[in-house]
Amino acid sequence: MVSRVIPVDSFDLVIFGGTGDLARRKILPGLFHRFCAGQMPDTSCIIGAARADMDDVAYRTLIGEALDEFAPESRAMPDDVAGFLDRLSYVRVDATGDAGWSHLAKKVRKDVVQAFYFSVGPSLFGPLAERLHAHAIATSQSRIVIEKPFGRDLQSARALNATLAEHFTEEQIYRIDHYLGKETVQNLMAVRFGNVLFEPLWNAQYIDHVQITVAETVGVAGRGAYYDKSGAMRDMVQNHLMQLLCLIAMEPPSFFEPNAVRDEKLKVIRALDPVAADQVVRGQYKATRNTPSYLEAAENPDSLTESYIALKVHISNWRWKGTPFYLRTGKRLKSRVSEIVVHFKETPHSIFGDEARSAANALVIRLQPDEGIELSVTIKEPGPGGMRLVNVPLDMTFAEALGPDGENVPDAYERLIMDVIRGNQTLFMRGDEVEAAWAWTDPIIEMWTTAGKKPIQYDSGSTGPEEAMILLHRDGRRWREIET
Ligand code: NAP
């Protein structure tokens, strides 16, 4: 069955952690945008829930300030802001106690779509699920949204899945990975499966290798102690990079339908080879004159946690045998870039002679900055003087290609929250997918934990450790420059 937008007459969305950073920075500004786009039915309600003592008026003031900061365009739209804030109310509730639950039970309507967003620390996911049932607030139709991290290894992810399953069916659970909500990520599927051009070439016979890069310029200062328990592999690779890899590598699903897509992604994860020690590079950024080193920010001089990781990954199936996927992600790097580069093989023979040999085609799928897709092709350099070839990009930056619509691409959170309301799970991870991802990740982490090897120190503002460059040089390849 093909998924389609289901009209929703009304909904109640409860945001546990409604005063927190994520709610103020992403969730509520995202909802404000959807409100302005006319996608919020008149009688729908948003209920913030947390332990802080405040009333509806104080909560609306808090969120009004958040809109001012994180959706600055709202400053010119006072009527819309007032209309949106009118939908908000607040309930004081303790996820680990009994306070506030009976009040919440009276507030949440049973005859509309109910969604509960768990925007709180992971230790509260289980207690919230339990209390929603104990206080008879959730129904068999309610949906819960779970933020990352979903466990820190296979065992904890299984335990969390089991706890949630005591109270909710898989169809009610929306495990969020905001990368899947990005416009480009969905466009990747449109490009692959909506054109006849790419799919026949989408295999090891024509694709030399794939690079997936998520580079950040920020460090971990302010949340170093928290990050130090996780590291780049757990924080980024197990979820975001793995999801991107799945969408590139999966077989075409029969329909763009939640379980059809997720079945195909799961097969990719299960086909991933184990990773050997010489296929991984881990690093920690150094201090600059103005910024602390990773070790200083983590407040742990002996930390073995990585702020950078690069991996060479193989997928053992017919389509991909022999085509490596190189993944890298890190903090305090030169630029903030998220992109996937599909490097095609060179032409088997150059009819123009060796000097005029064409560069291989590459398809660049950019998630940030400037979401868009670019295909590099070889053409003749204009002018007389023989057949000189030049590689040029066919650029489809959404903001340019799609005009005003491209500039107004909804933020990932906006799209995903509305998908929850509409009951569309296509862009959310299923429980078995998350477990399979941990089952692949755990032995890699165990390998370096057992070895006790220190991550390599790399310069802040660089492209990462030199050893990550060597990882590709060894194979006669090189990373695409991470320039913005
Ligand atoms: P945060 O700023 O620390 O906010 C936590 C929220 O939870 C606050 O509203 C807090 O309010 C509430 N809370 C804490 N203990 C509670 C309890 N016992 N009962 C009820 N409410 C309680 O955290 P955050 O950055 O928003 O992150 C929330 C979740 O999103 C985490 O799982 C995080 O890993 C994930 N996440 C965050 C980001 C981000 O950019 N911030 C990105 C990706 C994922 P009170 O203290 O008043 O109760």
Side-chain angles (χ1 to χ4, degrees), residues 17 19-22 25 50-52 93-95 119-121 124 147-149:
T19 57
D21 177 67
L22 184 67
R25 217 155 41 80
R51 290 169 305 176
V93 94
D94 183 356
S119 181
V120 292
L124 300 180
E147 259 302 333
K148 84 168 209 189

Side-chain angles (χ1 to χ4, degrees), residues 15-27 49-54 59 62 90-97 99 101 117-125 127-128 146-150 176 178 223 226 235 240 413:
I15 307 171
F16 292 109
T19 57
D21 177 67
L22 184 67
R24 286 182 294 111
R25 217 155 41 80
K26 289 285 180 189
I27 302 173
R51 290 169 305 176
D53 189 9
M54 66 174 84
Y59 187 60
L62 180 80
Y90 180 81
V91 175
R92 192 178 172 196
V93 94
D94 183 356
T96 55
W101 287 95
Y117 198 126
F118 293 8
S119 181
V120 292
S123 64
L124 300 180
F125 296 163
L128 283 177
I146 310 289
E147 259 302 333
K148 84 168 209 189
F150 198 93
I176 217 160
H178 70 275
R223 59 182 204 112
Y226 162 79
D235 192 44
H240 305 318
Y413 274 96

Side-chain angles (χ1 to χ4, degrees), residues 431-447:
D432 51 2
E433 246 185 282
V434 178
E435 289 186 16
W438 280 121
W440 177 77
T441 309
D442 277 0
I444 304 173
I445 295 176
E446 204 178 306
M447 176 175 69

Side-chain angles (χ1 to χ4, degrees), residues 8 13 25 43-45 53 155 174 182 190 211 225 232 234 255 302 348 353 369 397 400 406-407 418 426:
V8 173
L13 169 66
R25 217 155 41 80
T43 55
S44 42
C45 299
D53 189 9
Q155 194 186 4
Y174 290 71
K182 287 182 183 282
Q211 297 182 9
R234 285 192 172 97
F255 297 105
D302 302 318
T397 304
E400 287 167 17
E407 277 165 23
M418 293 320 286
T426 310

